[in-house]
Amino acid sequence: MSDNDDVPFNRDFPLKPGIVEEVRPGVRRVLCNNPRPFTFTGTVSYIVGRGNVAIIDPGPDDEAHAAALLDAVSGETVSHIFVTHTHRDHSPNTARIKRSTGAPVYAEGPHRASRPRFESEKHNPESGADRDFAPDIRIGHGDVVEGDGWRLEAVATPGHTANHLAFAWPERKFNFVGDHVMGWSTSIVAPPDGSMIDYMESLDRLAAREEDVYFSGHGPEIPEGPRFVRFLIRHRKAREASILHRLAKGETDIPTMVRAIYIGIDPRLTTAAGYSVLAHLEDLVARGVVATDGDPVIGGTYRMANA
């Protein structure tokens, strides 16, 4: 497949919930049984190393999944817990794993929005935030945490959430990318929780790195990770071009743009598509390409700035 083709999504992921699978030497994964339109077959938790191990993203508030993770590391010591971001399908189970293992929790910080909420915003698009989460140890871009036979470097990847981190294992050329990059679908970027400006900058940061196998929060591993990121960048730019094409026909609102751009969309994803369009519009308004009256919000109308 050439780099000029559309995103080569891969929805072939036969892993069953609760089963531990060694996907690469030193990397095991366990799938949680929480399939949803936004989570695909469920959240994937990762176990890094052997003997003294780290767990990445313990998953949602799910006792069976916690038990499966602990069973997978039976006879081993969990020395570290890492959390990529604070959505409720990734971080709430952290408390269970910590109680059972005593391992310290590493993450960027508590949940926060990418920007302050506008007074005109009545609806919170991200009801899935885990606002109870707080790490034991806060880490940021470039921080390195070492364990027994592994070494993870925090890579700031805000966009899906403001506190999103990827965890790179440079020596193995692996990167645990959470929900920032997924092989089965594009990521949700829903303001004010998320930011398209941040998201695109984070894609550029990943594309410039050496890691070539990505392990995502949902779905299968992604080979040739930086190349896949370049597909995503082009996809987002094409989405922006579609928005501008519609606005060139005259002022309109977000539901109209969604109907014009997302042909045949699953009705359950319409709201998320609207927030994705809003994320692009926020970026375009900030760049002076698109205009709106007042703040760029989900219920606003939009026009070309030169119209």
Side-chain angles (χ1 to χ4, degrees), residues 205-246:
R205 180 175 294 127
L206 288 178
R209 294 184 61 89
E210 297 286 318
E211 293 84 27
D212 60 2
V213 178
Y214 288 0
F215 299 107
S216 295
H218 308 275
E221 69 277 16
I222 303 167
E224 297 184 89
R227 180 168 176 253
F228 188 83
V229 166
R230 291 193 292 274
F231 282 113
L232 290 178
I233 290 169
R234 280 196 294 276
H235 175 80
R236 293 291 186 178
K237 288 181 176 176
R239 186 72 76 209
E240 177 184 291
S242 296
I243 291 168
L244 293 174
H245 178 74
R246 177 60 188 82

Side-chain angles (χ1 to χ4, degrees), residues 13 15 38 45 72-73 75 85 98 123 136 139 145 160 166 169 184 191 195 211 225 237 244 291 293:
F13 192 52
L15 184 64
F38 298 115
S45 301
V73 297
H85 67 293
K98 182 183 175 181
H123 173 64
D136 297 310
I139 53 176
V145 180
H160 178 66
W169 189 351
W184 74 281
S195 161
E211 293 84 27
K237 288 181 176 176
L244 293 174
D293 295 325

Side-chain angles (χ1 to χ4, degrees), residues 13 21-30 44-48 56-57 84 90 152 164-169 172-183 206 211-225 228:
F13 192 52
E21 177 186 55
E22 186 168 52
V23 61
R24 293 287 191 282
V27 178
R28 287 168 281 173
R29 61 188 175 191
V30 181
V44 184
S45 301
Y46 293 93
I47 302 163
V48 178
I56 300 176
D57 282 352
T84 60
H90 285 261
L152 295 181
H164 198 292
L165 290 176
F167 297 106
W169 189 351
R172 300 291 302 276
K173 291 197 171 182
F174 295 162
N175 206 338
F176 299 89
V177 293
D179 281 4
H180 194 78
V181 179
M182 298 185 292
L206 288 178
E211 293 84 27
D212 60 2
V213 178
Y214 288 0
F215 299 107
S216 295
H218 308 275
E221 69 277 16
I222 303 167
E224 297 184 89
F228 188 83

